[in-house]
Every structure is written in structure tokens, then in C-alpha cells.
Amino acid sequence: MQSAFSNGSGWGDASAGVSVTDRFGVNGGYSTDLGAVDSTFGHSRALNGGFSYVVRGPTTLNVSGSRGVSGLAPKWSLAIGFGTAFPYLNHVG
């Protein structure tokens, strides 16, 4: 994806997931800056993972975490979602 703040740089993400059961799935991935390297901080990179659990009907609990491993990526992040609609595709539900 092209960065809105500069030319020649952007962001990339590769991830994979699997449905362990019809109600539970896990996922993991890797994110990094693409293009020009910031001479002070270098590329920002992060590892991420999470799970999805269908509570009842379409209601799902999603938990995702991330660990920044270089650059200005946040050292840790956590996202928790509970409901029926999420702004990304998950592997369960």
C-alpha cells in the first residue's frame, strides 16, 4: 500500500490463518515498511498473531496482538473485538 505521507514508500503485511474447529481459528503474520529506508530508524517491522472464537450465532470474540521488532513499530499492541461485524476477514464465522 502506498504511504500517504511520502513518495516511494509504503507498508506491507503477510499473514495466514487456519480454522482449528468450526468455532475457533488462529492467525499470525509479519508487517514491514516497504521502499525508502529512514536513515535514522530503519524499517519498522512487527510480528502479529491472534485468535477468533464464535461465541453464539454470528457473535465472535477476536483477540489480536502485535510485537514490534524494529524501527518505530509499537513495542506491543493488543486489540479485542466482540460482535458480529469486523473491518477485516477472519478465519472463523
Side-chain angles (χ1 to χ4, degrees):
M1 174 174 285
Q2 179 72 25
S3 172
F5 302 109
S6 66
N7 291 329
S9 64
W11 167 83
D13 176 46
S15 62
V18 63
S19 295
V20 178
T21 69
D22 61 338
R23 297 175 61 118
F24 182 75
V26 296
N27 62 71
Y30 174 78
S31 301
T32 185
D33 291 332
L34 300 173
V37 177
D38 184 304
S39 60
T40 305
F41 300 107
H43 282 287
S44 294
R45 296 180 174 99
L47 299 172
N48 56 67
F51 71 87
S52 299
Y53 179 75
V54 176
V55 178
R56 183 175 183 199
T59 305
T60 305
L61 171 66
N62 290 301
V63 178
S64 300
S66 176
R67 169 73 166 117
V69 293
S70 69
L72 293 177
K75 291 295 180 195
W76 292 100
S77 69
L78 177 68
I80 300 172
F82 183 78
T84 59
F86 299 93
Y88 57 89
L89 297 175
N90 63 41
H91 302 281
V92 176

